[in-house]
Amino acid sequence: MQLPEFPVFGIFQNKESKSHRCHTEKAQSRELTYGRRIARYLSKNKLLAKVYNPSSFDNKNGHNGDVEDSEQNQEKQTFARKDEEIKSLDAGWEYFEHYVLPRCHAEKFENKNGRKYMRVKPGNNDEKTMLYPVWKTPLQDMGDFGIGVGMYFDMLRFFGFVALIAAFICTPALVFYASNDYSPDGKDAIVNPINKASAICTNTFWVPCPNCTKDDFNTWPTSLNNIQRVATMTSPAPNEDREVVFMLRNGCELSETFSLVTLATVLFFCVSTFVFLSRQKNIMVMLDEGEQTTSDYSIRIKNPPNDAKSPETWKNFFETAFDDIHVTVCTVALDNEELVAKLVQRRKLLLKLENSLPLHIAFCSEDLEKTVEHCKEQEPNVFTRLLCCSAGPKGLYDKIQAIDEEIERWADHPYPASSVFVTFETEEMQRRVLKAMTYPKLCKGFVDSKYKFEGHVLEVTEPDEPSSIRWDDLDESKIVRVGQRVATLLLTCILIVGGAALIAEARERDVTLSALLIVVFNTITPMVVRFLASFESHIDQTSYSSSVYVKITMLRWINTAIVTAVINPFAYTLTDGEQLIESIRIIFTAELVQRPVLQLTDWLGNLQRHCFAPRAKDQRRMNLLFSSYQYSIGERYTEITKLLFLTCFYATLYPAAWYFAAATLFVYYWVDKFCVLRTWRQGPKINAKISIYSVYFFLMCAVTYAVMAAYNVAMFPFDNACETEEAVPEYYVGEYKMENNATFVVVSSGDKVYKFCDQDLFRYIPAAFPPLPKAQLNHDSEWMSPVQMEFVPIFGWGCIGVVSFFAGILFIRFVVKVVIPLLSVYSFVESSGSCPNNQPPFSEVEIIDGYVPFVSIPGYLSPFLLCDVKHFDESLIGWNEYGSTSLQKERLSLVSDLSRIFERRNRQADTKAEDMFSRVQHWPYEEAGLKSNYDGYDKMHSYLSCSIFSFLFDT
């Protein structure tokens, strides 16, 4: 049996694009993903093809013969499929590679900023393109997916090297922990060899403690029935009737070398964090060099008058108020959220109706009655309705009619303007407007009248990228948005408490179970937080990602590091077995292995592409199974901050954490880069704001390291045993065999008595901060060794210095961002400096988008327009329709849907459908004098310096 060839539908049907594909077989195969190569091989194999790719046999015996191609049957001709008669798995892979994955020009593009590749729009088939190479794509080009994405990879690389250097610095600490100087028995009894280089102390011995009781150790989370650090015996003859009590003491002590190395590591990490803060601005500029983005040319007006809906009016306002200003694009977004929601709901019902059709019948939205007739044979039974919660075709039709009536009623509502996006021809024009129209919040009454719009003081800001705008949320007030975030934050806190309780309960049963439960919680946390965040309103995806980032970070930090420390009994901190350090090792191992394996295998995506897609009913549904997972850069940031926080929290007791962290960060760098370029669906461009937010978490990591190092050194040896000057009573003298671990204890006359002393400084009231030697004296206890007495003050006052320094940074940020804007003009423009003259005008940028309102509807391959673009340059729309060289504006527009509803219902009204939607208008600028200033695709920001002041005063 001869199998069919691999026809490619929709994407490369035009002659020009076919010419680009006329390469040799070998050269072409290099352009394909490995998944597509496997699919081609299995589809060509006669033994495997029937099992793997049934679609090829469906095409061979397809349904297209059922459609009569005659003039006598015009009704069937109307409903006959033309573009989906034949399914092609290879076309699905083509969609995956050209629409889902990012692509760039096939020819290298190199400039002095280090960029090599230029990104193209999804579905671009007019030029020769290729997938981004995983190994050769430089960091500068990762900024093509958003400045926030590029800064994420820079952060991974930076802290990967920081962790590696920190690991080298603290290597003497690992050697010390594994040596006989720390534990003279050589730690031969430790089960896991990796833990030998940790603070686990196997040099333990029993000491007399006449006043000790099990109740001393009966503090949560220690169970009264599981206290193994106190033993009760009977004194030897002639005092057999006397009860004697012993407590277990850790015989390990810290050395000067360890203390110095730990100090050096803390100092290095804090300085590295400071350097990271200082270079943030320069990295942002480096990624932005040569990358002209729409936001560089645009402003957003947050409070336009309700009736200011005409783009022409806004153009005239700015060109009158400012000299030498040209408005190139203007978008007026309307507050029509309810109307859009009804139209989206209608589209979903139409999709269900289309899916009910037999495969050989095409869907015709112009004649829904006939469509329902064709669906009669597909009417679901009662069981199907109950199981799928689905109405039959007639029920779907009735729902569509009911929604049409609601839409007609909503169409009579007035829709005020909610936001205005104005794009100027040059960046210099945008900077001038921002500088002139940014006012102190308490001085708006002194605004120049020429900058007022019909007497209205405008609030102007620089917007996010067009693909990042959440058009349906622009109308929500700030009070509503804050209220929503407070509510979801409270729910997040409830989840934190519930998760901590479950982890604590699991810890009572098995330490491995609790560690695995933490890994599971870390895995499902993003899904739970995304669900909570779906109830929030956000102006753009950057704001949404930041909200998700904060909540996930709270959950992961507390569940991974803090809860692990809290539920571990203090006196068992240095104990081998299923205790604290073994929990840490399990978590670090899972971090290194679990996420990279799940991402690289992409089991769900591969299951959809290789199992479900070949069995899809038509090409559209097949392509949907190739849509892949859309990554969230906020979730990626939480993985890194969680790892660093966990490392800083426990590095003093487990120095190998730095080696785990370095290995994990480098693995994350390449695995995430591979997934962005080869697996994950392209998402909206996220700007640098989320990277700025992450800085606060890195500050907290540095503070945590300094504080935890000070406390861990001060609380050593974690056994709650303090030696007294009192000699043991006579009845203690003798030899004992301890029942707990079958060891022999010999008590001689003159041996010292020990007493219980609480070494857990975190539980002291008032708090023992900073941790200094005097804390033990205040509680009539003394456990610190001479080395501790020497170094604990250094650690304690050092942690005060770190906390004070970073608190000062946060205070300056607060003053700059909150206090100064109330009293003086402090804007983005002034903090960034003047704009150079060698940037290209907006109209000359090869690949750039306009602010075009859209909505994505599940089940459809392309977004739907929320505005009329009949007289708009479609090259400024950030996508092409699948299967077309251009955007089919009538098919992918909710404006057209509303017009057809009016036509079907014979609605007579003065208001057109276009007037109920957002409005966009484009005015190309052709004056040659303006363009002559541009001398290359490069944007240099020499006015920025690599200093901490860029971070402190950045807004």
Side-chain angles (χ1 to χ4, degrees), residues 69 82 119 249 294 329 347 454 498 574 601 644 653 668 729 805 895 898 920 936:
D69 193 7
K82 296 181 181 180
R119 189 181 182 184
R249 188 176 191 280
T294 310
V329 181
R347 270 286 176 178
E454 299 176 355
L574 306 186
T601 55
L644 288 175
L653 302 177
Y668 281 5
F805 179 77
V895 181
L898 185 60
V920 296

Side-chain angles (χ1 to χ4, degrees), residues 792-803:
V792 165
I794 300 176
F795 279 97
W797 291 114
C799 109
I800 287 289
V802 172
V803 172

Side-chain angles (χ1 to χ4, degrees), residues 740-757:
N740 291 9
N741 54 8
T743 59
F744 287 92
V745 178
V746 178
V747 179
S748 303
S749 179
D751 287 349
K752 299 298 183 182
V753 168
Y754 284 77
K755 67 175 182 179
F756 175 87
C757 58

Side-chain angles (χ1 to χ4, degrees), residues 436-702:
M437 301 187 68
T438 303
Y439 322 113
K441 294 182 180 180
L442 299 181
C443 304
K444 291 187 177 181
F446 302 98
V447 175
D448 192 330
S449 60
K450 73 174 182 179
Y451 299 135
K452 294 181 180 180
F453 184 88
E454 299 176 355
H456 189 74
V457 178
L458 302 177
E459 295 182 17
V460 178
T461 185
E462 183 175 276
D464 217 357
E465 286 301 296
S467 61
S468 177
I469 302 299
R470 295 165 63 98
W471 296 97
D472 53 341
D473 289 342
L474 291 176
D475 59 303
E476 298 293 352
S477 66
K478 191 170 184 178
I479 295 177
V480 171
R481 291 198 296 269
V482 171
Q484 292 170 342
R485 295 185 200 185
V486 170
T488 54
L489 188 61
L490 291 176
L491 291 174
T492 302
C493 294
I494 294 174
L495 289 176
I496 290 173
V497 174
L502 289 175
I503 293 171
E505 183 66 24
R507 174 65 179 76
E508 289 289 332
R509 289 165 170 76
D510 183 64
V511 67
T512 303
L513 177 62
S514 66
L516 293 178
L517 190 60
I518 290 172
V519 173
V520 172
F521 281 170
N522 286 339
T523 303
I524 66 174
T525 290
M527 293 180 284
V528 176
V529 172
R530 283 198 299 268
F531 174 75
L532 292 178
S534 66
F535 296 98
E536 300 176 355
S537 299
H538 294 275
I539 294 173
D540 49 51
Q541 285 296 125
T542 298
S543 173
Y544 170 81
S545 296
S546 301
S547 175
V548 170
Y549 176 30
V550 171
K551 294 179 178 64
I552 294 178
T553 301
M554 289 174 56
L555 281 163
R556 284 178 167 173
W557 278 25
I558 294 175
N559 286 338
T560 305
I562 299 176
V563 171
T564 301
V566 170
I567 65 176
N568 182 79
F570 175 82
Y572 296 83
T573 300
L574 306 186
T575 304
D576 188 26
E578 296 188 346
Q579 300 298 340
L580 176 65
I581 291 180
E582 176 63 11
S583 300
I584 299 169
R585 185 198 63 80
I586 294 173
I587 294 172
F588 272 112
T589 304
E591 291 294 327
L592 179 60
V593 175
Q594 174 241 353
R595 199 192 93 173
V597 169
L598 289 178
Q599 286 184 203
L600 288 176
T601 55
D602 189 24
W603 65 272
L604 182 58
N606 281 312
L607 186 67
Q608 289 180 325
R609 292 189 287 271
H610 291 282
C611 183
F612 300 147
R615 290 158 181 80
K617 293 184 177 182
D618 52 44
Q619 191 67 48
R620 177 183 58 81
R621 280 177 272 195
M622 179 184 288
N623 290 348
L624 285 173
L625 292 168
F626 280 91
S627 294
S628 189
Y629 163 78
Q630 180 175 303
Y631 66 93
S632 169
I633 198 62
E635 294 176 20
R636 307 266 73 77
Y637 272 100
T638 62
E639 296 279 359
I640 312 310
T641 53
K642 175 198 68 179
L643 178 66
L644 288 175
F645 183 74
L646 182 67
T647 302
C648 293
F649 205 90
Y650 293 110
T652 311
L653 302 177
Y654 194 68
W658 286 116
Y659 282 99
F660 274 106
T664 304
L665 289 171
F666 286 127
V667 169
Y668 281 5
Y669 179 90
W670 289 107
V671 170
D672 284 357
K673 188 176 181 183
F674 172 83
C675 291
V676 169
L677 301 179
R678 287 290 187 276
T679 303
W680 291 333
R681 184 168 81 250
Q682 302 178 63
K685 289 187 176 183
I686 304 298
N687 65 24
K689 290 180 183 177
I690 195 169
S691 301
I692 300 300
Y693 294 150
S694 70
V695 165
Y696 299 108
F697 293 102
F698 291 126
L699 287 173
M700 292 176 65
C701 288

